[in-house]
Amino acid sequence: MSFPGIQRSTLQAIGGTPLVRLDHVVPEGAAQVLLKLEGGNPTGSYKDRMALALIEGAERRGVLRPGQRVVEYTGGSTGSSLAFVCAVKGYPLTLVTSDAFAPEKTRTMRAFGAEVIVVPGEGGQVTPDLFARMRQEAHGIVEREGAFWADQFHNTDAHAGYTGLGREILRQTESGGASVDVFCAAVGTAGMISGVSAVLRQAGSRARIVALEPSSSPVLTVGTAGPHRVEGIATGIVPPLLTADVLDEARTVDEAEARRMALRLAREEGILAGTSSALNVVGAIGLARELGAGHTVVTVAPDTGLKYLTGDLFEG
């Protein structure tokens, strides 16, 4: 393993995360499942990649001026990542979030110096109207203060943030003597699955791209939104960044099964990850069973389970 020299900024610590093979939770006779561990990024989330791309893209275009306030609505991981990037670059930041998300995320945003506005949720669940209410609050701040809206759901700079992730997957699988047969991941803004898909296809990969979502909110597969407790995904809409050329297929995963898998990942694989990571793994295992031995399914653990320790995810 090689290590870089001294980095001039914590922003350069983003990326370069490991890709590991799951040994214990994947059944015998299935394809190998490789998991990209994004918890190694500075805030413990792959959203660090996107946050840097959103801010630096705006800087290059001249739509974000020195000292201008940045605004975004967020389930927490994007907010934490934007708070980190804005702290390093010196931008004031206002984030709109909800008490439906893990309190660790709100505390992280405030620790980096962001102003945080909390929109009440309903029964601790991510409901179809929650993101609409958060978006309305953020829009009001932009109108009143002339702030720059990072706009993660529409900003195509998000793709650039995740091309590095796609290139890393290609290099890591090739150096390990494998090729990607399927790449699957749950969809929030869809920036990650879109960015990785573009890289794989530009490289000539024939990998199948599969979007995952909780069966309790099957917007992509059925067109119906519903409440759930998987943070960071299934926001109740088909995200604008998820264009028709990105996907080959969309599938649902049972949320209860994903929550059980989070515990298995910790206790059998030594991987402490959240519910969206576990949902990705459950979806990947289903695909691995169908493909069989001699194939490779790649998915992503978007963040670290350290963000979810105050909830009930790891009880049992």
Side-chain angles (χ1 to χ4, degrees):
M1 181 181 292
S2 62
F3 295 91
I6 298 171
Q7 304 287 11
R8 63 178 179 80
S9 166
T10 49
L11 300 177
Q12 292 182 311
I14 296 172
T17 57
L19 183 70
V20 301
R21 186 178 64 208
L22 300 181
D23 286 328
H24 302 290
V25 299
V26 179
E28 188 175 345
Q32 69 171 342
V33 175
L34 305 180
L35 183 63
K36 187 84 160 126
L37 299 180
E38 287 291 287
N41 284 297
T43 75
S45 169
Y46 69 174
K47 294 295 181 74
D48 290 354
R49 299 176 186 264
M50 181 180 73
L52 183 61
L54 296 181
I55 296 301
E56 292 193 337
E59 288 173 335
R60 284 193 300 271
R61 294 193 307 278
V63 296
L64 176 58
R65 304 181 302 276
Q68 186 178 7
R69 181 165 294 276
V70 177
V71 173
E72 184 58 291
Y73 67 100
T74 171
S77 289
T78 296
S80 299
S81 297
L82 280 170
F84 155 60
V85 172
C86 287
V88 175
K89 287 181 169 284
Y91 294 107
L93 174 67
T94 299
L95 296 164
V96 180
T97 189
S98 173
D99 56 8
F101 306 111
E104 290 93 334
K105 296 178 180 180
T106 303
R107 293 174 188 145
T108 300
M109 292 185 273
R110 287 182 170 138
F112 280 118
E115 176 189 31
V116 180
I117 297 170
V118 179
V119 174
E122 298 177 17
Q125 292 187 312
V126 182
T127 54
D129 72 312
L130 178 59
F131 278 88
R133 290 189 287 124
M134 290 163 57
R135 179 183 176 85
Q136 185 177 20
E137 182 74 29
H139 181 70
I141 298 167
V142 171
E143 291 289 305
R144 291 192 302 271
E145 301 192 22
F148 167 72
W149 192 346
D151 200 9
Q152 60 176 320
F153 281 91
H154 296 86
N155 193 332
T156 55
D157 286 331
H159 294 150
Y162 292 115
T163 56
L165 178 60
R167 289 193 295 268
E168 288 173 26
I169 289 171
L170 278 176
R171 287 197 300 270
Q172 289 166 317
T173 51
E174 288 171 359
S175 67
S179 60
V180 184
D181 294 296
V182 177
F183 177 79
C184 66
V187 170
T189 67
M192 188 275 288
I193 199 167
S194 299
V196 172
S197 172
V199 169
L200 292 175
R201 287 173 172 165
Q202 287 165 9
S205 170
R206 300 179 65 181
R208 200 156 107 241
I209 309 298
V210 180
L212 306 173
E213 61 183 357
S215 55
S216 49
S217 187
V219 173
L220 303 180
T221 50
V222 180
T224 304
H228 63 88
R229 296 177 62 201
V230 189
E231 298 187 28
I233 66 168
T235 62
I237 63 170
V238 177
L241 296 179
L242 192 66
T243 54
D245 60 326
V246 171
L247 294 182
D248 295 302
E249 183 187 351
R251 294 187 174 201
T252 61
V253 175
D254 180 70
E255 181 179 338
E257 187 177 356
R259 294 179 72 82
R260 290 191 294 270
M261 179 57 72
L263 205 58
R264 289 192 65 194
L265 286 171
R267 296 182 178 180
E268 297 178 41
E269 300 281 359
I271 295 171
L272 194 65
T275 319
S276 62
S277 301
L279 186 143
N280 284 348
V281 170
V282 172
I285 290 172
L287 289 157
R289 284 195 182 101
E290 294 172 16
L291 288 174
H295 296 89
T296 299
V297 180
V298 178
T299 191
V300 177
D303 61 6
T304 167
L306 293 173
K307 296 184 176 186
Y308 309 100
L309 292 179
T310 58
D312 61 358
L313 181 60
F314 297 108
E315 293 179 359

